[in-house]
Amino acid sequence: MSARTKARKRALDVLFAADVRGETAEQSLEAESLRAAARPERASSWPYAREIVQGVIDHATEIDSAIASHSTSWPIDRMPAVDRGILRIAVWEARYNPEVPVGVAVDEAVELAKELSTDDSPKFVNGLLMAIVRDEDAPVS
């Protein structure tokens, strides 16, 4: 597993924890930063995980707006928390991280959904992300 794949999982852990615990992503990020400092064996994946979470925080309004406007069957607050986190990560990578090709962002999100969510989630995540990235009106940084 690549360092970036591990970082995406760590970022998802942070976002999921915030969602489930009812805390802000900033609070969850700070708590994970403290844990990361105490676990040097996991140091290689932490910088990118932190960048992802901070990017999701910085662009939360735009990311959630894109997800909500393209999800015709599920309001964002009704989506499983893990799917919501996966989608936020993928939208951030696709729109705001020029180092990650859009196809890679989508593929990685679908793989996370296959591994960590429901049987229907990979298809849902893929369809929603494809709608978002195909939308020519969607602002890109």
Side-chain angles (χ1 to χ4, degrees):
M1 180 181 309
S2 76
R4 285 221 165 165
T5 298
K6 288 178 187 177
R8 287 179 186 96
K9 281 186 168 185
R10 288 186 75 183
L12 180 59
D13 288 345
V14 172
L15 295 172
F16 180 80
D19 212 357
V20 170
R21 292 180 184 146
E23 60 189 26
T24 67
E26 291 90 345
Q27 290 169 318
S28 188
L29 181 60
E30 182 58 33
E32 184 60 24
S33 291
L34 295 173
R35 282 190 289 278
R39 309 260 325 254
E41 70 277 8
R42 296 175 66 190
S44 66
S45 64
W46 179 239
Y48 189 57
R50 182 179 187 80
E51 181 181 348
I52 292 169
V53 175
Q54 191 60 57
V56 169
I57 291 167
D58 292 345
H59 300 282
T61 302
E62 299 95 337
I63 290 169
D64 283 0
S65 176
I67 294 168
S69 68
H70 289 85
S71 178
T72 57
S73 56
W74 285 97
I76 194 166
D77 61 331
R78 299 279 319 266
M79 292 175 190
V82 71
D83 291 358
R84 203 169 29 244
I86 290 169
L87 289 165
R88 286 172 173 156
I89 289 167
V91 172
W92 176 79
E93 282 192 309
R95 285 191 168 183
Y96 301 102
N97 187 349
E99 294 176 12
V100 177
V102 171
V104 171
V106 173
D107 288 346
E108 288 281 334
V110 171
E111 288 304 313
L112 278 173
K114 284 179 185 175
E115 183 179 342
L116 301 172
S117 197
T118 69
D119 290 341
D120 294 329
S121 290
K123 184 177 177 181
F124 171 72
V125 165
N126 185 64
L128 185 54
L129 289 173
M130 292 309 295
I132 291 170
V133 299
R134 285 184 183 142
D135 185 356
E136 293 178 353
D137 295 328
V140 178
S141 69

